[in-house]
Amino acid sequence: MRAAVYEGERTIRLEDVPDPRIEEPTDAVVRIEQAAVCGSDLWTYRGMGAGPGTRIGHEFVGTVEETGPKVTSVRPGDWVIVPFRYSCGQCRFCRRGLQSSCVRGGFWGRECADAGQGQKARVPFADGTLVRALPDGSRPEESLVPSLLMLSDVFPTGYHAALRAGIKPGDTVVVVGDGAVGVNAVLASRLLGAGRVINAGSSHGDRNALARRFGADEIVTERGEDAVRAVEELTCGRMADAVLECVGTPASFATALRLAAPGATVSYVGLPHGVDVPMAPLFSRNVTITGGICPARAYIPRLLPLVLDGIAKPGDALTGRYSFGDLPRAYEDMDARRTLKALVDVDPRA
Ligand SMILES: [Zn+2]
Ligand SMILES: [Zn+2]
């Protein structure tokens, strides 16, 4: 089969790799139908992640092709959503809904040889990892597939940010970041009853429009101190009850901390790169910091009905659609910010 391999800075290639097969009785093999490119894939693409030769991609959906003898929750032919990390479903962390810390779990392309941007993947712990989109395992309606694909990562991640922030009805929320996680954090804030949602940090008109479509009331196009002043003005100096940090850079983190009102919560889900948090200013304002890596598997069953009922359309963040052979161009376009997030149709014969 063919799969995407990171081969060095700004080089992704589709290469021939071994076909996956059942290795453990708890495995399944999934034939991948659609995959997405993530902001965190871009860190790798830019040479700030895994080394050359690493398989890439962790957001994917498809059809179960084969299952090991101990798999009970899915059957061959079932159409499934695959979270961005696999998990056993049984250890103490999985049982408490923190599948991101599963003691037997791991990341696609790292602990498991297969990854999400390929024709197939071996899925360890199929029962603890996979979620059928529909109870009978049938394929959902075509128009829903991109939004179901977003359940792999960015919709649960945005939701994790909002949930961990403890948003209460009527709260003023500022979401820092204009990427796919940012707009999904806007959406999740709305779902949790935020009274006012401000999206900060983007001067990009298309992204502003998308943030509004996802539920943002106001857009702050400035960054840094200018963004702080703009939020001060918008809120008459009250600032935010919750700040959702969806970027992970030192600059965006510094801005997020400055936007928090006394007693507020800053929830971060952007993978931090070189971020150091000064504690003293937080102490004096009683600002809580929370967040971290999202246990997507825990939230998929909760968010799935919202997608199936058309209440949430996280797939609207997929602004570019590419054929499997065009995957390298999907990376180029996202890297150059021509596409917010790329959807890739995986061709089983390519
Ligand atoms: Zn992702
Ligand atoms: Zn586990």
Side-chain angles (χ1 to χ4, degrees):
M1 69 153 188
R2 300 224 294 158
V5 181
Y6 168 72
E7 288 296 5
E9 209 178 315
R10 290 189 162 76
T11 310
I12 299 282
R13 280 194 210 113
L14 288 178
E15 296 181 5
D16 289 320
V17 299
D19 274 330
R21 51 182 188 82
I22 301 291
E23 291 174 18
E24 300 289 335
T26 48
D27 285 353
V29 170
V30 168
R31 192 174 66 247
I32 299 171
E33 180 182 321
Q34 282 185 6
V37 182
C38 185
S40 61
D41 294 333
L42 282 188
W43 287 102
T44 303
Y45 182 69
R46 292 167 181 159
M48 290 177 277
T54 307
R55 302 264 287 277
I56 194 162
H58 56 263
E59 301 181 8
F60 55 113
V61 292
T63 304
V64 176
E65 203 169 64
E66 201 184 343
T67 54
K70 284 193 177 163
V71 175
T72 58
S73 67
V74 292
R75 296 182 303 257
D78 284 353
W79 199 94
V80 291
I81 298 153
V82 191
F84 72 84
R85 202 174 184 277
Y86 63 85
S87 51
C88 77
Q90 289 175 345
C91 72
R92 67 188 199 281
F93 296 113
C94 283
R95 284 203 309 269
R96 71 167 80 143
L98 201 63
Q99 284 89 335
S100 47
S101 293
C102 174
V103 297
R104 300 181 199 93
F107 289 100
W108 305 108
R110 311 280 174 92
E111 292 89 351
C112 175
D114 294 318
Q117 290 159 11
Q119 289 170 319
K120 292 182 190 182
R122 179 179 76 88
V123 176
F125 307 110
D127 285 336
T129 303
L130 299 174
V131 182
R132 284 199 285 222
L134 294 168
D136 64 357
S138 61
R139 189 179 183 284
E141 192 189 308
E142 180 73 37
S143 63
L144 292 173
V145 172
S147 282
L148 293 167
L149 170 62
M150 294 298 87
L151 286 168
S152 275
D153 184 350
V154 295
F155 185 25
T157 296
Y159 184 77
H160 185 57
L163 193 72
R164 291 298 286 260
I167 292 172
K168 293 180 293 302
D171 274 357
T172 295
V173 178
V174 180
V175 174
V176 179
D178 68 350
V181 172
V183 291
N184 275 278
V186 169
L187 169 65
S189 302
R190 281 264 101 97
L191 291 170
L192 292 174
R196 186 181 193 189
V197 183
I198 301 168
N199 186 213
S202 182
S203 53
H204 198 293
D206 292 350
R207 293 184 181 221
N208 296 160
L210 194 68
R212 285 193 190 276
R213 216 157 98 206
F214 272 73
D217 299 300
E218 281 127 337
I219 307 287
V220 167
T221 55
E222 295 87 349
R223 293 187 180 192
E225 279 309 299
D226 293 337
V228 174
R229 270 193 297 278
V231 170
E232 235 161 30
E233 238 167 69
L234 280 173
T235 60
C236 302
R238 297 164 68 97
M239 307 308 279
D241 303 306
V243 184
L244 312 184
E245 199 288 319
C246 303
V247 182
T249 61
S252 72
F253 223 97
T255 304
L257 297 177
R258 296 266 286 112
L259 295 172
T265 301
V266 175
S267 183
Y268 71 103
V269 290
L271 182 63
H273 283 79
V275 175
D276 279 318
V277 177
M279 297 307 285
L282 305 181
F283 178 82
S284 58
R285 290 186 292 136
N286 275 285
V287 169
T288 301
I289 297 199
T290 183
I293 186 168
C294 166
R297 179 62 179 80
Y299 299 135
I300 294 173
R302 186 181 315 183
L303 299 176
L304 178 57
L306 301 177
V307 173
L308 293 173
D309 293 343
I311 295 166
K313 291 179 179 155
D316 287 353
L318 291 157
T319 55
R321 190 161 188 163
Y322 301 80
S323 68
F324 190 41
D326 249 356
L327 184 68
R329 198 165 56 83
Y331 275 86
E332 285 166 29
D333 286 353
M334 274 182 66
D335 185 39
R337 288 172 68 86
R338 286 189 292 266
T339 293
L340 177 84
K341 190 168 180 72
L343 167 68
V344 178
D345 291 297
V346 179
D347 183 347
R349 297 148 312 187

